Amino acid sequence: MSISAQPADIVERMRAYNELNSPRNIVFSGGLSSPLPNQIRRITIDDSVMFKALFDLVLTDGHAYKRLGELCKGIGSRLSGSDNAERGIVWAVSMLKSYQFDTVFTQSVMVPRWERGEIESVKLYSKVLTNQLKSGKPSDDYNCEAFVEANPKPQKFYPLNACALGGSVGGHIAGTVIVVNSNRALDSMGKAGLLRGKIVLLNLAFDQTLLNTFQAYGGCVSQRVNGAVPCSKYGALAVLVRSMSNRCDLHPHTGVTHYEDSVTKIPMVAVATAVADLLADISIKDPNHRVEIDLNCRTLPDRLSANVIASSVGLQYPEKIIDFGGHFDSWDEGEGAHDDGAGCMHAFEALRLLKALGYTPRHTLRCVFWINEENGLRGGTEYARLAAERGENHIAALESDRGGFVPRGFGVDSAIMPGVKMYQKLLNDYGIGTIEKGGGGADIGPLKKVNPNTAFVSFIPDSQRYFDVHHAETDVFENVNKRELHLGAAAVAAMIYILDQQLE
Ligand SMILES: [Zn+2]
């Protein structure tokens, strides 16, 4: 049985390796060593040695999981503008400073502030359902049976698993539910006057046949984001939105919803997938059913918050910046563990791994925790605005906002595709060889407007379980796997290394 490498050995090995390959030791043809950064010859470190060291170190002495635990359990959820988010930022600055990166700093950002409030209930009154339960014969017309599997007792009303969507207005609404299963149906039913005075259930479900669950999400999410305006215009009292999830369960998934100032703002509420199926059935079988919604969520004045940044200054091109990060804010349900504590920890760990291995970056590497991705994108927007104002040169940006699941690969800009493809075999060796066209992300998006040449990369982990927990109370630390999170961090570090090597 062989003895596996210990973290100290890995770091020591890389130190010795880096010493041999250090730019300072390169002898130019004239026989003079070059002390000046702008005369340093481009060298090629043995990439496979670097990849192996990154993965060995993270798997034997990774820090991301422990730090994510501190964030999730010590701070918890981090909705923009909340006290928790601000406490989290203080923690992040102090955590990053403890690693002695070259710089750790913040950028002030004004963020919107929405609070869920103390009252949040959705109740169903239905004699048909009560009779079904009394007779022990609940309907078998649900695709998702989690509601009846929970074995509800016959009662006067049924509290439904629901939560306000982010940004929703509060209010007390009572009415009957009408089900809308597609955007086209919304228009035709609305024009026919069928939505007037009703509580509309927008019930478009994930297409389960799509292997990439983000595509399924993309096919449905507009009903949550943009459903309020058309429903209100058609006279609806409130909107229930089927949760954005592949799962059948009793966890509602929140997320942002938008209004227009010129259109009456009506309450917007997420219901669990099992509740959506229950309501779809009962609304047809029981014309006398009633749903009552009570919410006191509210929007408060904007509040000062911050992006948090740690960097390692580049030796050859200190003025050229490679960004990588995730968003630090989360929804208030759960702990923002996968979304996007994991992305932030990927970025922090990538910077730490490269530093711990004694790697001297050619360009300046910046780990960024953006604030307010979920309900405003103010952090990413301000980051790009400051970059433009200061004339910064951001040559590449990577975003990790798809959870801390087992890494599969990356989406990359076509401009840098050939350089990344050179590493295909090596990436395959670590299971991260899925290279797709089209990197990008919400937080790095605004950088493109400032500098169209910024090369974008998105981190792609396995997507099968992401929407089980996304924006729900189940997005907690316990649902993050240590090895998967650490493999993702090493994958991000490997990609940052590639970008640092390939880009001028
Ligand atoms: Zn996210």
Side-chain angles (χ1 to χ4, degrees):
M1 183 180 157
S2 65
I3 296 167
S4 62
Q6 293 304 300
D9 300 336
I10 299 162
V11 172
E12 207 36 59
R13 255 186 0 237
M14 276 308 289
R15 286 249 162 79
Y17 184 87
N18 288 333
E19 194 55 36
L20 274 175
N21 290 279
S22 161
R24 288 180 294 277
N25 291 336
I26 299 291
V27 177
F28 282 70
S29 54
L32 298 168
S33 63
S34 167
L36 298 174
N38 63 2
Q39 290 177 286
I40 290 168
R41 188 166 65 181
R42 171 87 180 276
I43 58 158
T44 306
I45 295 180
D46 183 343
D47 303 316
S48 63
V49 172
M50 177 55 89
F51 271 53
K52 176 92 170 86
L54 287 170
F55 280 84
D56 281 359
L57 184 56
V58 86
L59 291 173
T60 52
D61 187 31
H63 290 203
Y65 185 74
K66 180 166 169 276
R67 295 307 191 183
L68 183 64
E70 290 170 10
L71 179 61
C72 291
K73 297 304 175 193
I75 306 292
S77 69
R78 303 168 300 282
L79 184 57
S80 290
S82 66
D83 291 346
N84 250 22
E86 295 315 301
R87 274 199 293 272
I89 287 168
V90 170
W91 169 85
V93 169
S94 129
M95 184 276 283
L96 291 168
K97 280 191 170 164
S98 74
Y99 286 93
Q100 279 94 43
F101 295 121
D102 291 343
T103 60
V104 175
F105 60 101
T106 58
Q107 294 175 338
S108 297
V109 184
M110 289 301 288
V111 295
R113 194 173 176 194
W114 174 84
E115 282 184 356
R116 185 166 300 283
E118 309 76 34
I119 300 168
E120 185 175 70
S121 85
V122 178
K123 296 175 192 155
L124 169 66
Y125 294 79
S126 168
K127 290 204 169 108
V128 170
L129 177 60
T130 297
N131 289 338
Q132 284 176 357
L133 295 173
K134 275 183 181 162
S135 68
K137 287 185 198 156
S139 167
D140 55 6
D141 287 340
Y142 313 141
N143 288 322
C144 171
E145 295 176 328
F147 179 79
V148 289
E149 283 169 3
N151 200 21
K153 298 284 169 272
Q155 51 197 302
K156 190 174 161 212
F157 64 83
Y158 301 87
L160 299 180
N161 306 75
C163 68
L165 290 174
S168 174
V169 294
H172 170 83
I173 304 285
T176 56
V177 168
I178 186 161
V179 182
V180 174
N181 285 317
S182 70
N183 288 335
R184 218 166 55 191
L186 175 64
D187 275 336
S188 58
M189 292 167 75
K191 282 173 186 157
L194 298 176
L195 309 187
R196 187 157 300 282
K198 299 282 186 182
I199 295 172
V200 174
L201 170 62
L202 297 178
N203 194 38
L204 180 58
F206 269 31
D207 179 347
Q208 299 287 6
T209 67
L210 293 170
L211 293 183
N212 180 347
T213 62
F214 283 86
Q215 284 178 4
Y217 178 69
C220 293
V221 72
S222 78
Q223 67 186 352
R224 185 197 81 208
V225 177
N226 303 313
V229 170
C231 288
S232 178
K233 281 182 179 169
Y234 290 131
L237 303 175
V239 179
L240 305 175
V241 181
R242 183 187 183 90
S243 282
M244 300 291 118
S245 180
N246 291 94
R247 266 178 70 95
C248 153
D249 65 21
L250 288 166
H251 301 293
H253 296 235
T254 190
V256 77
T257 194
H258 290 153
Y259 295 113
E260 283 175 15
D261 283 339
S262 58
V263 180
T264 305
K265 295 175 181 175
I266 55 177
M268 294 291 291
V269 181
V271 293
T273 49
V275 168
D277 277 7
L278 167 75
L279 289 173
D281 189 56
I282 287 296
S283 63
I284 291 165
K285 290 182 179 158
D286 183 0
N288 298 317
H289 78 278
R290 191 161 59 96
V291 164
E292 276 184 20
I293 301 171
D294 281 288
L295 305 173
N296 73 341
C297 47
R298 55 197 172 253
T299 297
L300 299 167
D302 289 0
R303 179 175 182 177
L304 189 64
S305 189
N307 293 326
V308 180
I309 298 145
S311 77
S312 292
V313 177
L315 182 65
Q316 193 169 352
Y317 303 114
E319 76 290 358
K320 294 185 178 179
I321 299 164
I322 298 176
D323 300 295
F324 45 103
H327 63 86
F328 194 70
D329 64 307
S330 74
W331 283 107
D332 53 341
E333 305 279 354
E335 297 165 354
H338 280 289
D339 187 15
D340 186 23
C344 291
M345 293 307 103
H346 282 152
F348 140 71
E349 183 77 293
L351 192 67
R352 184 193 76 84
L353 290 172
L354 290 164
K355 178 176 154 69
L357 293 173
Y359 178 70
T360 305
R362 301 170 68 229
H363 309 84
T364 290
L365 306 184
R366 264 199 198 173
C367 149
V368 189
F369 299 170
W370 286 282
I371 195 73
N372 188 226
E373 187 272 349
E374 295 291 6
N375 58 338
L377 210 62
R378 302 271 186 91
T381 305
E382 179 64 5
Y383 189 80
R385 191 193 70 76
L386 285 170
E389 185 180 282
R390 294 167 183 174
E392 291 173 352
N393 187 4
H394 293 251
I395 60 167
L398 177 151
E399 186 161 325
S400 169
D401 188 14
R402 293 178 173 218
F405 301 100
V406 66
R408 297 291 189 214
F410 302 89
V412 301
D413 258 348
S414 48
I416 56 165
M417 185 65 89
V420 172
K421 280 280 187 186
M422 273 177 47
Y423 292 80
Q424 183 75 62
K425 189 189 168 305
L426 200 44
L427 292 165
N428 286 345
D429 289 347
Y430 291 89
I432 51 176
T434 300
I435 304 299
E436 297 173 358
K437 252 192 207 162
D443 283 307
I444 59 177
L447 272 177
K448 203 78 159 181
K449 291 180 200 142
V450 173
N451 182 353
N453 295 323
T454 305
F456 275 5
V457 180
S458 49
F459 169 69
I460 302 178
D462 191 276
S463 73
Q464 299 313 315
R465 285 177 288 147
Y466 187 60
F467 293 98
D468 291 1
V469 302
H470 181 245
H471 297 180
E473 62 193 348
T474 44
D475 187 8
V476 293
F477 181 61
E478 289 83 348
N479 286 329
V480 177
N481 175 280
K482 181 178 176 181
R483 275 181 74 83
E484 292 184 3
L485 180 72
H486 283 167
L487 287 169
V492 169
M495 178 52 69
I496 297 308
Y497 166 78
I498 290 174
L499 295 171
D500 191 46
Q501 290 292 309
Q502 286 298 314
L503 296 173
E504 286 305 324

